[in-house]
Structure formats: C-alpha cells, structure tokens
Amino acid sequence: MAKYIFVTGGVVSGLGKGITAASLGRLLKARGFRVAAQKLDPYINVDPGTMSPYQHGEVFVTEDGAETDLDLGHYERFIDEDLNRYSNLTTGKVYWNVLTKERNGEYLGETVQVIPHITNEIKSFIYSVQEKTGADVVITEIGGTTGDMESQPFLESIRQVSHEVGRENCLFIHVTLIPYIKSSGEHKSKPTQHSVKELQSFGIMPDIIVARCDEPIEESVLRKIALFCNVKEDCVIQNLTLPVLYEAPMMLEEAGLAKIVLRELSLPQKEPVGLAEWTEMLGRIHRCKETVTIALVGKYVQLHDSYLSVAEALSHGGWENGVKVQIRWVDSESILPGEEEAALSGVDGIIVPGGFGTRGVEGMIQAAFYARTHHIPYFGICLGMQVAAIEFARNVAGITDANSGEFAPQGQYKVIDLMPDQQGNLPKGGTMRLGAFPCMITPNTRMAQAYGKKEIWERHRHRYEFNNDFRGLLEEKGMVFSGQSPDGRLVEAVELPENRFYVGVQYHPEFKSRPNRAHPLFREFIRAAAENHHQEEEA
C-alpha cells in the first residue's frame, strides 16, 4: 500500500508549501523511498499556459509537455525526478473532464454534483500518479489557503482519500505563518490555531504543523501550538527563512521531519544515505566568494517569479564555477536604441529568456546587439534565440527589415515564422510545441563543448521557429546553426564562434537544471561570464 502525504497551507498564501513538500520528498528519496509529487491548484484555468506571468509566475513544462505550476520546478530541482501531466491538476481541468464525461453520457443520466463526481475526479487524479510511477510515497500539495472557497472540493477529496486508504496510510501536514510582533518581541500562535480549526471543520486533522517564521520560535510557543491544535509536541516543526533556498531540506532533517513522517506512517526508520551530494553542494555554495553580474533582460521582470527557473539555473551555473550570481533585472522596454550602455554597462553576461508578444522585443534586440558588439557573453532562450537571429539578420546580413511573423505578420522578411503546417487561425491554448524533443548537435561548436554528446533531449514551449529561407545567408555571414532536429528541418540552436560565448537555443534548458548538477549551457555561460569579469578587472 502506497502512503499519501497532503500538504496544506494556512493564514496567508506564499508560505513555501512547495518548498516544504519538495524538501520532504528529497529527504524520503535519500532514504531509498520512491517519491512522486503533485500540485492541486484551485484556479479555474485549465492550466497556467495562457495566464499572464504577472498573475502566476512562470509556466513550468514537464518532459511530456504539460504546462504546469511553478512549484513543480521546485519538486524537480529538489527531488530530482522528472514529473509529468499527472503532477498538476486545476479546478478548470477537473470540471473540463467531468463535463466531457457528462456530454459523452458516461454518468448514465445521473445528476452531476460536486460530491461525488467532482471529488471522484480529483481522487482519481491523486491515485493516478501513484499508478503511473509506482511510488512508495505520494506527496500532494493543495494550492491556495485553507478557508478559500475554491479549495473546498480539494479538501473534501483528500479527506475521502484518508478514509479510503486508511488513516494509517495518510498524513496531513499543515504549513502556517507564525507572525512576530516586534513591539512586544513575541510570536503569536493564534492565527495558526484559527487556521487549524478551519481545517478541522472540513474533517481534516493535521498530523504535523510546519511553522513558517523569520525569527526562531520559542519552545513555549511550539508547545502551545501542539496543545491547542491537538498534535504531538515533536510534530510542531519550525521552518525558518533561510539565506539559501536549498538549505531547507537539511534544516528540516535536523528538525526531525523525515523521522516523524516515517513514524507516523509506520514506515521503516531508514537512515539517509543520499544526502552527501546535497551537503557537498551546500558547501560549494558557501565557499563562493566572487560575484558575477548577469543582466536578465525580459518583459516580465517586475515579478521575478516569472523567470524563476532561469534565475535558479543561473545560480546553479554559478555554484559549479565557484561564483555567486547577482542578477540585474532589466526591463526590456527601458532599452532604447543608442541607450543600451545605460542599462547594460558593467555586466559580465546578458541573458534574454522567453516571452510572448511584441512589447519590449526591440529592447531585447538591442540587448543582443550590445552583447555581440561588445563581446559580452550572451545566452538567448526561446525568444532570446529568435531576437539574436533577428538582430544578426538586420545588422550583419543587411536585412534591415528582418523581423518575426509574431511581431510583423505582414512583414516581407520574417526570419522567425510559423512553419507551413502551423498556418491558420489557431487557438492559444495547447497549440505550441511542448515537451521534450531531440536535438542533434553540430561537432566542434560551443554546444558540442558544453554537452559533450551528439544528441540531446530538451523541453520546448513555443510556436514560432527559425525560417529556413534565411539559413544560407546567415550562415554565409558567420552564424553557426549548432543544433537542429534529427530531420534537419528545425533550427534548435545558433551561435557566433568569434564571441567568447554567444549562444541561442529554441528550447528551455532552465527546466532541466539542478542545484547539484547545473545545466551544461548555464554552466558554460557563467564560466564565460566569470572569465569576462576577470579580464575586465585586470584591464
């Protein structure tokens, strides 16, 4: 019998339920258990694919092409397991599935109701991830905050799961905020008590309370929470805000979280044997003294979570090169022609990540121009590769009107465009090239040096491609097409060999980077940025 762990949140949102769930997954995996993780989101969108990054942060793409919540990125980075379309469920997807079944007559004329039809659909999803992965432990995070109207069907569903699999096979972890009142110098437990009471009203009795805090909590407060919330004293665990996100698993390990979880689920008390690599990684992080500055030029920089995986992957690349990465967040709309110096001077590298729509694109093109002409390491991801190709076409190949079909549909020189089989009035949701696809690497290129192999698989999320009509001209002018689909039809990577590092890729390598194993391109990009930093210092 598999074990099911449900992580809920109380008092306020944004407490780090995902980090708690991911950290626990890492600790259990280190003990030899097979772990699967999933997130249930209460919003009515079918998936976050069409949501504004300002609303929800980045969209994380799985190997099988699911557009999912950004917390799945935390799960993959911490647990180091590739997730799939069974790892993220929304209210919208639940109702979509139920209504499709109703239209197809699968309910045989029944009146379709929240209970049992909606809750059965949610439960089926929870069970499916275990069936697909064969996991010993399934960790499910419930999005939102206890008390939200939208979360009620999910809470009822996990209550039913605990009844169906048996309370001995199910564990509830409640993550709550413990506010600190500076004027009186004390922590307050009352919000947590109210949150647990709210959770209990749904028939869910938390087994473990994870107390989020910025200051260490007094033992008396932890005992008070245990008493008033009806949990064992050692089952109230403080989760302090940490300077490095990846310290969380070790902090929770020292607090005994994994041992308590194993005890409460009647699982064998195995010792962790897989944490040595994690500990060594933390040591590397703390040994980093030098800092390199990377300009992240994007159109959603007001919300840093819009580029969460990119920011994390930059840090991973830094740690593997023994340096800290400081990100200079640059709004691409602020970069005007001839004014690149003001926004980008003094940086050691420039990265332009993905995005959609015309806003701010000319600023990204100017960033690519500045990096190329000043020999600053440049890394373009998805849209970042496309703007690099447009800039090169305009300023080197002499195609002054070069553009993308996305930004200039009637333009004559669409260096980036839809492929012939993509033409037409397509809906926005679910029509992109999504998930992992193969890429063949050209020998003796920066790509080949980074990967050390001929074929790779990387995750995509885009519609527009490089237009092969312009391939010959750009190659003639010095651009190298260093990655392409196995049939040679799609350009996957471009680079300029005369620059220290000037690489653009159509896919999203940030999704596969890990804190203890940086993605090869991020590792090499930061290495080039560090070399650039040293040369500038010596000059």
Side-chain angles (χ1 to χ4, degrees), residues 252-459:
L252 294 174
E253 171 69 11
E254 290 174 13
L257 176 61
K259 291 182 179 179
I260 293 167
V261 166
L262 296 178
R263 182 192 73 199
E264 296 300 307
L265 287 173
S266 300
L267 287 170
Q269 286 288 349
K270 301 178 182 178
E271 289 300 313
V273 295
L275 289 179
E277 184 184 11
W278 200 266
T279 304
E280 196 276 329
M281 172 200 72
L282 293 175
R284 284 204 313 271
I285 294 173
H286 293 301
R287 287 192 295 272
C288 293
K289 301 300 181 186
E290 289 190 22
T291 300
V292 298
T293 301
I294 303 297
L296 190 154
V297 182
K299 59 201 302 182
Y300 315 118
V301 295
Q302 287 83 355
L303 182 66
H304 294 177
D305 274 359
S306 300
Y307 302 108
L308 179 61
S309 291
V310 173
E312 292 300 312
L314 287 170
S315 292
H316 304 165
W319 299 332
E320 210 150 305
N321 284 287
V323 297
K324 299 175 185 176
V325 173
Q326 176 180 313
I327 298 176
R328 182 189 296 181
W329 300 89
V330 180
D331 186 344
S332 58
E333 284 190 282
S334 70
I335 304 178
L336 302 176
E339 299 182 12
E340 304 90 357
E341 189 78 26
L344 301 172
S345 64
V347 301
D348 303 306
I350 297 172
I351 187 167
V352 178
F356 296 91
T358 60
R359 182 177 62 82
V361 166
E362 289 300 324
M364 297 179 190
I365 293 173
Q366 291 304 120
F369 168 78
Y370 185 84
R372 180 177 61 80
T373 56
H374 287 72
H375 288 270
I376 297 172
Y378 176 88
F379 190 13
I381 296 174
C382 196
L383 179 58
M385 185 205 91
Q386 295 175 3
V387 300
I390 293 169
E391 187 280 321
F392 190 83
R394 286 182 184 179
N395 299 312
V396 179
I399 311 172
T400 56
D401 293 332
N403 216 320
S404 166
E406 181 180 5
F407 316 134
Q410 307 306 319
Q412 185 177 358
Y413 302 105
K414 292 184 280 189
V415 175
I416 307 296
D417 203 5
L418 293 171
M419 300 302 286
D421 57 354
Q422 294 176 300
Q423 303 291 344
N425 186 22
L426 299 174
K428 298 238 181 272
T431 60
M432 291 186 287
R433 190 175 177 216
L434 287 165
F437 291 90
C439 169
M440 307 304 295
I441 297 177
T442 305
N444 303 316
T445 59
R446 177 69 71 174
M447 285 275 290
Q449 177 189 357
Y451 282 98
K453 56 178 71 171
K454 295 181 180 179
E455 181 178 346
I456 57 170
W457 284 75
E458 293 282 2
R459 302 179 195 179

Side-chain angles (χ1 to χ4, degrees), residues 72 74 114 150 160 185 307 322 362 367 388 390 402 434 476 503 528:
L72 270 70
H74 290 312
V114 173
E150 296 91 344
Q160 291 182 22
Y307 302 108
E362 289 300 324
I390 293 169
L434 287 165
E476 181 185 318
V503 175

Side-chain angles (χ1 to χ4, degrees), residues 214-229:
D214 292 326
E215 306 284 342
I217 303 173
E218 303 81 6
E219 283 295 326
S220 59
V221 174
L222 297 176
R223 288 195 298 270
K224 184 178 181 180
I225 292 171
L227 176 63
F228 282 92
C229 296

Side-chain angles (χ1 to χ4, degrees), residues 155-207:
L155 294 177
E156 170 59 21
S157 298
I158 65 175
R159 184 198 65 78
Q160 291 182 22
V161 168
S162 70
H163 176 73
E164 292 172 1
V165 304
R167 198 62 179 86
E168 69 279 5
N169 295 313
C170 186
L171 188 78
F172 293 106
I173 299 176
H174 195 50
V175 183
T176 70
L177 175 69
I178 309 296
Y180 180 73
I181 309 300
K182 284 189 177 180
S183 60
S184 59
E186 59 182 342
H187 286 95
K188 292 294 185 182
S189 65
K190 190 63 71 176
T192 293
Q193 295 176 43
H194 283 302
S195 180
V196 170
K197 183 179 179 181
E198 183 78 26
L199 193 60
Q200 289 172 338
S201 72
F202 291 101
I204 297 173
M205 311 298 167
D207 303 285

